Amino acid sequence: MKETDVAVGDGRTLHVYDTARGDLVVFWHHGTPNTGEPPAPLFAAADRLGIRWVSYDRPAYGGSTPRPGRDLASAAGDVAAIADSLGIERFSVLGHSGGGSHALACGALLPERVDSVVSVSGMAPFNAEGLDWFAGIAGGAADLRAAAAGRKALEDHLAAAEFDPELFTPADHAALGDTWAWLGKVAGDAIAGGLAGMVDDELASVGPWGYEPEQVRQPVLFVHGAADRMVPCSHSEWLARRIPSADLWLRPGEGHISVLNAGEAALTWLRNHAGK
């Protein structure tokens, strides 16, 4: 896998990853907190399907320059700059968890370049009409409630907080101990670099997105574990109702991490919708 730093025109650089093989480019949008390495557990499936992974550390993660105050829409400009630097015209996007709404941003704001979108375990907008946004989130959604109170409240909370293992289901813990142990590495790398990226991600999630989900016109797939304790499946259900082109896969018994075991099927969906 190739790694490089890409200048994005405003004095910032983004640290970019590129497997540099396959004819279908899929931009991976990482979760919170993670670095941007593309998902190693899906490399074999991607190779079989001819998928080339391109991804990046979001601002303030890993090797990417911070951009305090960024919104979710800013991901579209960053992805376009990376694609331009690599000579890529068209691509698809796939995001997990906090990356899901960043993937949707690319679909909404880069309609001439993005073929299709997959969001796995993603969140709905904080002001989603008719959705009890915090309902069903284990641990009282302490991080996100702090984010809703502002940067200082979130920074103070994260400085003192400890991870609550109850956020994950038994199926999640099993996945993290097996196929998806890789997530522990990228999360550890992200936190080792400080909490700035996580702070900016959480603030962006509860702030104005900078686009409306209804702007996404491409084929969209929402994949969500019906037992998810971190982001309840009601979030993907809300989003799918507002995007006419959306498919929704609810996975019974799956949680926030174990639902990634549907990753190969989601990649097959992307391959089948390439260029449509």
Side-chain angles (χ1 to χ4, degrees):
M1 181 166 58
K2 298 179 179 179
E3 298 185 34
T4 187
D5 292 327
V6 171
V8 290
D10 55 2
R12 295 185 299 117
T13 60
L14 296 171
H15 190 69
V16 174
Y17 308 81
D18 182 1
T19 58
R21 57 183 184 269
D23 64 294
L24 173 60
V25 175
V26 175
F27 269 83
W28 165 255
H29 291 267
H30 64 79
T32 303
N34 291 170
T35 55
E37 294 180 37
L42 294 178
F43 280 5
D47 286 346
R48 181 177 62 80
L49 292 164
I51 287 173
R52 171 185 174 184
W53 291 109
V54 179
S55 59
Y56 68 107
D57 299 330
R58 280 197 294 277
Y61 283 110
S64 293
T65 308
R67 187 181 183 181
R70 59 180 165 88
D71 62 9
L72 298 178
S74 66
D78 286 347
V79 165
I82 293 168
D84 288 346
S85 75
L86 297 175
I88 297 168
E89 180 57 32
R90 299 192 64 85
F91 48 88
S92 294
V93 291
L94 189 161
H96 174 240
S97 188
S101 43
H102 291 84
L104 288 172
C106 295
L109 301 175
L110 301 173
E112 303 303 319
R113 303 188 73 169
V114 174
D115 284 330
S116 53
V117 180
V118 174
S119 171
V120 182
S121 308
M123 288 182 282
F126 188 64
N127 62 351
E129 183 179 359
L131 176 67
D132 186 348
W133 204 82
F134 290 110
I137 302 179
D143 289 5
L144 292 165
R145 290 185 188 275
R151 179 176 293 273
K152 180 65 164 56
L154 178 59
E155 289 174 341
D156 289 347
H157 167 75
L158 291 177
E162 295 184 1
F163 179 74
D164 179 4
E166 291 300 313
L167 285 170
F168 290 148
T169 67
D172 288 331
H173 286 291
L176 287 166
D178 189 17
T179 303
W180 289 96
W182 166 85
L183 275 172
K185 173 190 179 300
V186 292
D189 290 346
I191 293 171
L195 297 178
M198 183 177 184
V199 167
D200 290 338
D201 267 0
E202 302 281 29
L203 292 173
S205 293
V206 301
W209 279 16
Y211 70 95
E212 299 296 332
E214 291 84 350
Q215 291 175 249
V216 183
R217 302 293 185 182
Q218 302 90 333
V220 180
L221 172 64
F222 292 100
V223 184
H224 219 116
D228 194 328
R229 297 176 182 172
M230 186 169 286
V231 179
C233 63
S234 56
H235 286 239
S236 282
E237 291 176 304
W238 187 95
L239 286 162
R241 287 195 297 270
R242 281 153 179 81
I243 300 176
S245 58
D247 292 334
L248 174 63
W249 294 355
L250 292 181
R251 307 277 293 187
E254 301 291 5
H256 196 70
I257 304 301
S258 66
V259 72
L260 287 167
N261 290 327
E264 182 171 354
L267 291 181
T268 300
W269 184 95
L270 280 175
R271 168 51 79 182
N272 290 340
H273 287 81
K276 292 186 178 181

